[in-house]
């Protein structure tokens, strides 16, 4: 196994090799043991300063990165665009350059514009970690989802994973597709035709419009949130589905679907969950659900990513 990543930044899973993914998992396993010990901290990044720049709302990812950095003993600064000078019209590059002039080594960034972290990479000298860019990629989510499935059912080669719901607006879907395929898993996407990008088959995934068939096929189902905030933004746009109730009638994961499919796959959800819309509370909190393991694993995965990328920083 290599002992360093092939990339200097984590912009997306697309740029990672299968060996990079295995290396991140190898370190995440070690860090998971660390965060379950009475002393949950290691001194690895004592001389590193990381800025967490969140230009879009987040609960899990923001807290998880912050905790991962603290567990590695890094110094951190947190920035949220709400309440900042972004509201006075400051540009992304000006905001970032001002922050970087405070001698920051690494930037973790969430932004609503696809490609924003790539733009930063081109325009700064710092190490960039993408914490979700619009509808494009959410690489650490893709990694932690695979890591959580792998913990339960082992090597993902030949395993079947269905990603269900709002594929069109989901950065989690794309990062999961790349991550699963790079480990040799088969991937299916399922949802209403209006929420499935037209050319998605070009990525080598199967497309299924019937939730029962997708659940029947899968070893694990990843239920995506309906991204209400990214649906039709004006009265002139045609909505992607008539109502949440109609969406739930066809695409909600519930006991009735599991019984019809005669299958009991692992259940994942990246959060935040619209309880009663894409999944029932019973299943979100049930025995097959990995939802809270995903959150726990997120800290270990982010520790691994930051630790490995920090080796590119000149000290
Ligand atoms: N899964 C995820 O990205 O959640 P947050 O938006 O709360 O960070």
């Amino acid at each position: 196994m290599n002992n360093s990543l092939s990339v200097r930044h984590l912009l997306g899973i697309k740029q990672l090799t299968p060996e990079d993914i295995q290396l991140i998992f190898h370190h995440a396993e070690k860090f998971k043991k660390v965060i379950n010990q009475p002393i949950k901290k290691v001194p690895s990044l004592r001389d590193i300063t990381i800025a967490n720049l969140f230009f879009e709302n987040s609960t899990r990812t923001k807290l998880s990165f912050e905790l991962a950095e603290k567990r590695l003993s890094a110094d951190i600064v947190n920035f949220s665009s709400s309440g900042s000078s972004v509201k006075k019209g400051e540009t992304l590059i000006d905001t970032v350059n001002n922050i970087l002039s405070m001698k920051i080594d690494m930037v973790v960034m969430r932004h609503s514009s696809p490609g924003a972290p790539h733009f930063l990479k081109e325009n700064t000298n710092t190490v960039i970690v993408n914490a979700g860019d619009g509808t494009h990629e959410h690489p650490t989510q893709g990694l932690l989802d695979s890591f959580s499935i792998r913990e339960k059912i082992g090597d993902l080669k030949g395993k079947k994973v269905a990603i269900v719901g709002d594929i069109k607006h989901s950065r989690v879907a794309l990062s999961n597709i790349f991550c699963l395929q790079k480990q040799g898993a088969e991937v299916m996407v399922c949802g209403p035709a209006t929420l499935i990008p037209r050319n998605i088959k070009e990525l080598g995934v199967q497309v299924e419009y019937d939730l029962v068939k997708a659940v029947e096929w899968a070893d694990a189902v990843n239920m995506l949130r309906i991204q209400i905030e990214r649906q039709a933004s004006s009265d002139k746009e045609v909505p992607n589905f008539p109502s949440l109730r109609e969406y739930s009638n066809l695409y909600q994961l519930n006991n009735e679907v599991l019984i019809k499919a005669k299958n009991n796959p692992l259940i994942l959800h990246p959060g935040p969950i619209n309880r009663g819309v894409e999944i029932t509370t019973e299943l979100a909190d049930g025995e097959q659900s990995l939802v809270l393991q995903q959150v726990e694993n997120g800290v270990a995965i982010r520790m691994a990513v930051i630790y490995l990328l920090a080796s590119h920083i000149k000290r």
Side-chain angles (χ1 to χ4, degrees):
M1 186 180 284
N2 292 341
N3 56 13
S4 66
L5 295 175
S6 66
V7 290
R8 191 172 164 254
H9 311 270
L10 181 62
L11 299 178
I13 304 286
K14 190 174 185 184
Q15 293 83 14
L16 296 182
T17 63
E19 292 73 31
D20 288 332
I21 293 170
Q22 295 310 322
L23 182 64
I24 293 168
F25 289 167
H26 171 72
H27 283 276
E29 277 166 11
K30 289 197 296 185
F31 285 129
K32 189 165 177 182
K33 288 188 187 132
V34 170
I35 59 181
N36 280 291
Q37 285 169 3
I39 297 172
K40 302 174 174 57
K41 221 167 162 167
V42 286
S44 317
L45 301 191
R46 251 190 331 216
D47 50 348
I48 295 288
T49 305
I50 303 176
N52 298 310
L53 310 185
F54 279 73
F55 292 86
E56 196 191 65
N57 295 343
S58 169
T59 299
R60 275 147 295 271
T61 312
K62 193 172 175 200
L63 287 177
S64 181
F65 267 111
E66 192 174 332
L67 202 53
E69 293 151 5
K70 286 182 171 165
R71 300 286 189 236
L72 291 166
S73 304
D75 288 324
I76 62 173
V77 284
N78 292 316
F79 166 90
S80 291
S81 56
S82 57
S84 76
S85 290
V86 169
K87 297 288 171 210
K88 299 177 195 162
E90 190 164 59
T91 63
L92 172 62
I93 197 68
D94 277 345
T95 301
V96 170
N97 277 331
N98 275 277
I99 293 167
L100 292 182
S101 61
M102 299 176 204
K103 311 293 174 220
I104 302 292
D105 301 299
M106 190 183 292
V107 165
V108 173
M109 187 172 76
R110 169 166 289 192
H111 202 282
S112 57
S113 297
H118 305 69
F119 173 78
L120 268 205
K121 186 205 117 185
E122 295 306 323
N123 290 284
T124 66
N125 286 323
T126 191
V127 173
I128 309 291
V129 183
N130 180 2
D133 60 328
T135 55
H136 181 223
E137 277 225 42
H138 190 350
T140 52
Q141 183 72 47
L143 288 162
L144 74 90
D145 288 349
S146 280
F147 186 79
S148 303
I149 302 172
R150 193 175 161 271
E151 263 187 342
K152 290 283 173 195
I153 57 176
D155 188 350
L156 294 194
K157 194 168 171 32
K159 300 289 184 340
K160 295 173 178 167
V161 181
I163 306 171
V164 179
D166 189 354
I167 312 294
K168 181 176 166 183
H169 298 105
S170 176
R171 52 193 172 214
V172 175
L174 195 56
S175 288
N176 261 275
I177 291 168
F178 290 142
C179 198
L180 291 162
Q181 288 179 335
K182 284 178 193 234
Q183 294 166 83
E186 287 182 53
V187 184
M188 175 185 279
V189 294
C190 174
T194 48
L195 290 178
I196 296 196
R198 205 170 293 166
N199 299 328
I200 197 146
K201 278 190 181 164
E202 289 171 17
L203 294 178
V205 300
Q206 297 184 50
V207 176
E208 176 59 68
Y209 301 106
D210 182 332
L211 178 61
V212 173
K213 287 186 184 159
V215 172
E216 198 172 18
W217 175 86
D219 297 306
V221 288
N222 199 340
M223 301 303 300
L224 301 182
R225 179 174 72 91
I226 282 291
Q227 304 209 16
I228 296 160
E229 74 280 15
R230 293 192 220 269
Q231 303 299 323
S233 55
S234 76
D235 292 345
K236 293 191 184 96
E237 280 183 60
V238 180
N240 291 306
F241 48 87
S243 67
L244 285 178
R245 189 201 277 188
E246 186 139 340
Y247 177 84
S248 300
N249 282 343
L250 291 172
Y251 291 102
Q252 182 189 74
L253 188 66
N254 52 39
N255 270 327
E256 206 181 313
V257 170
L258 294 186
I259 290 165
K260 275 192 205 157
K262 299 191 188 74
N263 195 14
N264 206 14
L266 297 174
I267 297 169
L268 293 94
H269 194 303
I273 299 175
N274 295 313
R275 284 177 184 264
V277 177
E278 62 264 0
I279 188 167
T280 55
T281 285
E282 196 178 12
L283 293 188
D285 301 337
E287 273 185 6
Q288 289 295 101
S289 171
L290 300 186
V291 170
L292 294 179
Q293 281 99 311
Q294 287 172 265
V295 178
E296 180 182 350
N297 288 335
V299 178
I301 284 287
R302 290 175 176 119
M303 285 175 81
V305 165
I306 292 165
Y307 173 79
L308 288 163
L309 290 177
S311 67
H312 296 298
I313 296 167
K314 289 191 191 89
R315 288 132 125 170

